[in-house]
Amino acid sequence: KGKLIALSIIRKHRLWETFLVKHLKFNWDQVHIIAEQLEHIDSDELIDKLDHFLNYPKSDPHGDPIPGKNGEIVSLGHIPLNNLKTMEIGYIAAIKKGTPSFLQYMDKIGIELGTKIKVIDKVEFDQSLEIQINNDSIHISNEVSKNILIKI
């Protein structure tokens, strides 16, 4: 019973984040605290209507899966960027570490969901990556690359 309650709260939180970004135009680094407040609204009818209004999204603005009404979570099959091989291409599907500062860093280097990314080189010494995004080549740490999830 406790697991279903927790999944219900996660569902509400992620639906509210989606609404705030898509319809109220908040940045993805601003919505967590607001969604934490909204997730405690105790109206299944409101959440069902919100889900319908949003056209039943499968993931939130950070790429995290949104649990269904009955608590089911569908695996989206994303892999960490650091698992890609040199010259492999993928698309940004999720950001694992959703802290405001990390999301602001993602904005700064031009990463958002759906961005095409190519691994140009892996540095053996520290496992950092040289990647290509929007025809720009940038260097990111292994820690950053572990927190960017990719869909191939």
Side-chain angles (χ1 to χ4, degrees), residues 127-144:
Q127 301 303 302
S128 60
L129 299 178
E130 180 185 353
I131 57 173
Q132 183 179 31
I133 301 173
N134 304 322
N135 296 320
D136 292 326
S137 178
I138 61 171
H139 190 92
I140 60 171
S141 71
N142 186 45
E143 186 65 24
V144 167

Side-chain angles (χ1 to χ4, degrees), residues 7-8 10-11 14-15 58 65-73:
L7 286 167
S8 172
I10 291 168
R11 177 175 187 256
R14 292 179 180 171
L15 285 170
K58 298 291 182 222
I66 298 174
K69 186 175 181 176
N70 298 320
E72 68 280 357
I73 297 179

Side-chain angles (χ1 to χ4, degrees), residues 1-10 12:
K1 185 176 178 179
K3 184 177 179 179
L4 286 176
I5 292 169
L7 286 167
S8 172
I9 292 170
I10 291 168
K12 289 187 275 186

Side-chain angles (χ1 to χ4, degrees), residues 36-99:
E36 279 188 339
Q37 296 166 16
L38 293 168
E39 74 190 22
H40 297 289
I41 294 173
D42 192 24
S43 171
D44 291 337
E45 181 181 7
L46 173 64
I47 297 306
D48 289 344
K49 288 185 180 212
L50 178 63
D51 196 17
H52 174 73
F53 177 76
L54 295 169
N55 199 25
Y56 307 100
K58 298 291 182 222
S59 60
D60 72 7
H62 310 108
D64 295 316
I66 298 174
K69 186 175 181 176
N70 298 320
E72 68 280 357
I73 297 179
V74 177
S75 172
L76 302 175
H78 305 148
I79 60 170
L81 175 58
N82 66 331
N83 286 358
L84 265 62
K85 295 179 175 79
T86 301
M87 304 314 283
E88 204 166 3
I89 296 172
Y91 296 86
I92 308 295
I95 302 299
K96 192 170 157 183
K97 187 176 193 169
T99 62

